[in-house]
């Protein structure tokens, strides 16, 4: 079973600051890594796929990097709208798609 | 516009059965897998299962295998998830989502708004 571990659990930052979120997978499965943003009371929204490709309409302050089992989501300069919970997700060899436990980005 | 419209909130008693739905429109229903995701109160996202509408092929998270059943009705472009005997621990919001092709893999790119299930 693939386990995705995100860190930190909570990130306290101010608008304008840079956010760096980490996702570590227990096993590697190519570049099938995605990041989602979820705000309270809303469904998740796809931000990045294939590690670093932005989904439609996602601003370029969101970027992704990494390979193998270690991945990073970077928000270059936090906007008020970016304070939310972020999840990573990766495909497994059996075709399942588990999520990480999430990182909450909160206003400091 | 691609849409996944989920059925309304449910309040059930332990031991009761339940079937919630996810109505698809705006794209070819049989083209993409549909996933189901659980979010317990104040908790993160849990991938539960997925189904391929073309032939009803399924994949389950081992944690949910035998606890829920996913299905589709192609004639009305609707996906379902059902429980035969609910528990209080099934209280959660359940999302359906489409797996859309993005470059190399199929990712959950269109989501329903979720169905809140309360078991008490």
């Amino acid at each position: 079973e693939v386990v995705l571990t995100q860190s930190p659990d909570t990130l306290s930052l101010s608008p304008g600051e840079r956010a760096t979120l980490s996702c570590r997978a227990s096993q590697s499965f190519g570049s099938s890594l995605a990041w989602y943003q979820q705000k309270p009371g809303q469904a998740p929204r796809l931000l990045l796929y294939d590690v670093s490709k932005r989904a439609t309409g996602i601003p370029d302050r969101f970027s992704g990097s990494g390979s193998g089992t270690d991945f990073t989501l970077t928000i270059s300069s936090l906007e008020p709208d970016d304070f939310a919970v972020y999840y990573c997700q990766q495909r497994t060899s059996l075709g399942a798609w588990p999520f990480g436990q999430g990182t909450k980005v909160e206003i400091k | 516009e691609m849409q996944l419209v989920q059925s309304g909130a449910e309040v059930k008693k332990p031991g009761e059965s339940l079937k919630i739905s996810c109505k698809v429109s705006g794209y070819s229903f049989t083209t993409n897998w549909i996933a189901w995701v659980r979010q317990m109160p104040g908790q993160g996202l849990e991938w539960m299962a997925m189904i391929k509408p073309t032939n009803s092929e399924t994949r389950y998270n081992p944690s949910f295998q035998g606890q829920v059943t996913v299905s589709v009705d192609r004639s009305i472009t609707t996906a379902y998830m059902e429980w035969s005997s609910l528990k209080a621990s099934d209280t959660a919001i359940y999302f359906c989502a489409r797996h859309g092709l993005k470059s190399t893999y199929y990712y959950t790119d269109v989501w329903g708004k979720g169905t809140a299930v309360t078991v008490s």
Side-chain angles (χ1 to χ4, degrees):
Chain A
E1 182 184 346
V2 174
V3 176
L4 298 175
T5 303
Q6 294 185 236
S7 61
D9 288 334
T10 303
L11 202 50
S12 298
L13 295 168
S14 301
E17 289 194 293
R18 183 185 189 88
T20 303
L21 288 67
S22 173
C23 175
R24 175 166 288 179
S26 59
Q27 297 175 30
S28 173
F29 194 81
S31 62
S32 63
L33 194 285
W35 290 93
Y36 297 83
Q37 177 193 67
Q38 189 183 30
K39 297 177 183 176
Q42 296 185 16
R45 176 174 71 148
L46 179 66
L47 290 178
L48 303 173
Y49 61 92
D50 285 359
V51 179
S52 61
K53 297 173 182 171
R54 280 185 292 276
T56 303
I58 303 303
D60 60 8
R61 64 179 180 273
F62 292 92
S63 63
S65 63
S67 63
T69 58
D70 290 296
F71 303 93
T72 300
L73 168 67
T74 301
I75 310 172
S76 59
S77 178
L78 282 164
E79 299 279 335
D81 192 47
D82 299 337
F83 292 91
V85 181
Y86 293 85
Y87 297 92
C88 60
Q89 183 190 41
Q90 185 180 46
R91 188 185 190 277
T92 72
S93 59
L94 297 178
W97 285 89
F99 291 94
Q101 85 279 14
T103 291
K104 182 179 182 180
V105 178
E106 65 176 20
I107 299 176
K108 187 174 181 180
Chain B
E1 180 191 3
M2 293 181 285
Q3 285 192 350
L4 281 70
V5 178
Q6 297 190 237
S7 49
E10 301 275 0
V11 179
K12 300 295 246 182
K13 291 181 168 46
E16 291 186 332
S17 63
L18 175 64
K19 193 172 188 176
I20 62 175
S21 66
C22 173
K23 167 71 175 175
V24 167
S25 63
Y27 72 92
S28 176
F29 181 61
T30 54
T31 303
N32 304 87
W33 290 73
I34 297 287
W36 289 92
V37 175
R38 183 175 80 173
Q39 188 163 41
M40 298 177 75
Q43 303 301 307
L45 304 173
E46 298 175 272
W47 182 85
M48 301 176 69
M50 59 196 297
I51 184 165
K52 188 176 184 181
T54 304
N55 57 6
S56 295
E57 178 184 348
T58 56
R59 296 173 187 163
Y60 286 90
N61 178 332
S63 298
F64 294 95
Q65 181 89 46
Q67 308 305 308
V68 296
T69 302
V70 294
S71 61
V72 296
D73 184 334
R74 284 180 287 278
S75 68
I76 55 171
T77 65
T78 299
Y80 300 96
M81 185 163 65
E82 65 181 312
W83 295 257
S84 59
S85 180
L86 287 160
K87 309 179 190 65
S89 57
D90 291 319
T91 295
I93 295 175
Y94 295 88
F95 295 100
C96 63
R98 179 190 93 137
H99 270 269
L101 179 61
K102 298 288 188 188
S103 182
T104 310
Y105 299 98
Y106 289 79
Y107 297 93
T108 43
D109 61 350
V110 184
W111 291 68
K113 293 186 186 304
T115 294
V117 174
T118 302
V119 184
S120 177

